[in-house]
Amino acid sequence: MKIVILQTDIVRVDPASNICRAESILDKYDKVDLFILPEMFSTGYCVNPDGMKGNAINYETLEWMKTAAKKRECAIAGSVICKEEGRFYNRFYFVHPEGIVEYYDKKHLFTYGGENNHFTAGNKRVVVNYKGVRFLLQVCYDLRFPVWSRNHGDYDVAVYVASWPSTRVDAWSLLLKARAVENQCYVIGVNRVGKAPNCDYSGGSAVISPYGKVVAECEDNKACEAVVELDMSELEEFRMKFPVLNDADSFEIV
């Protein structure tokens, strides 16, 4: 499976500009199975969306994702500010080529930054099956909570879209590798670059193998992309040869 991750520099609260930038990047690539964009890629990370046109932002961005996916016969994924029945959600969309939309609402809201005061947390873990590959959808702060992403043999790739600041980028890189090793899966981390009112972003977007090794990455502090081709047969062979998940502790999330 050919995947392109987009480490973008986001224009704050300007969906039209950010979508235009993303469109120009997609046009650079042929025969891609999946494009992945960062957290809140059409607006930039915002913990207080009150006053923003959440319904319009969500509709405009999602419609673009559906149109772009159909046009290129690929899937497109990324997180968007969504307002539904008066509540805001940090919603990670996975749009299939034929227009089917699946989504995950961020479970762990960033209380340190006040995200929990304005957004509603999701309560459902979501695994998307696309072309025979099972993707676990996660958003940013979820990365710090390994119980939520524990592999029960139900996914092959964990995808984290993020707005992870430069001051904590070492933790980002370390935790991406930890999640890959402990869950015996590929991990894809897609972060942004650039400046925002309260922090800077240096990227660190990468694809990690089940061995904890970086197999593709974006250049730090630069809006760019990385391309990777994942071989599921190699993953299956590794799991059969070294079946550590069979010895994992059993538990239920309540």
Side-chain angles (χ1 to χ4, degrees), residues 53-187:
K53 297 179 180 179
N55 292 327
I57 290 171
N58 178 61
Y59 177 80
E60 179 181 354
T61 307
L62 181 57
E63 287 304 302
W64 169 75
M65 294 175 77
K66 290 161 66 175
T67 300
K70 181 179 180 180
K71 174 183 176 182
R72 296 171 177 81
E73 299 182 332
C74 68
I76 298 178
S79 146
V80 177
I81 293 175
C82 175
K83 189 175 185 181
E84 186 175 89
E85 297 182 353
R87 296 172 180 261
F88 283 101
Y89 297 89
N90 188 340
R91 182 160 289 177
F92 185 176
Y93 283 117
F94 191 107
V95 179
H96 295 255
E98 62 274 23
I100 295 172
V101 178
E102 298 185 75
Y103 67 85
Y104 160 73
D105 289 330
K106 185 179 181 182
K107 168 70 164 64
H108 297 95
L109 301 178
F110 192 47
T111 57
Y112 180 80
E115 186 179 22
N116 60 306
N117 294 326
H118 301 278
F119 285 83
T120 298
N123 58 13
K124 181 182 178 181
R125 211 175 80 143
V126 175
V127 175
V128 171
N129 194 317
Y130 173 59
K131 291 191 173 183
V133 181
R134 300 168 300 171
F135 293 89
L136 175 72
L137 307 186
Q138 302 274 278
V139 180
C140 202
Y141 195 41
D142 287 327
L143 182 60
R144 290 185 178 271
F145 303 93
V147 172
W148 187 241
S149 64
R150 186 60 175 165
N151 195 343
H152 304 293
D154 58 342
Y155 72 86
D156 308 303
V157 183
V159 182
Y160 292 88
V161 296
S163 294
W164 199 285
S166 302
T167 52
R168 295 186 287 275
V169 74
D170 288 341
W172 161 261
S173 299
L174 178 66
L175 291 171
L176 288 177
K177 293 179 180 180
R179 298 295 87 84
V181 171
E182 70 191 9
N183 292 302
Q184 213 167 20
C185 68
Y186 286 104
V187 167

Side-chain angles (χ1 to χ4, degrees), residues 35-54:
F35 290 97
I36 308 175
L37 291 128
E39 179 182 21
M40 296 188 185
F41 70 88
S42 64
T43 58
Y45 183 68
C46 177
V47 297
N48 184 1
D50 296 334
M52 294 178 62
K53 297 179 180 179

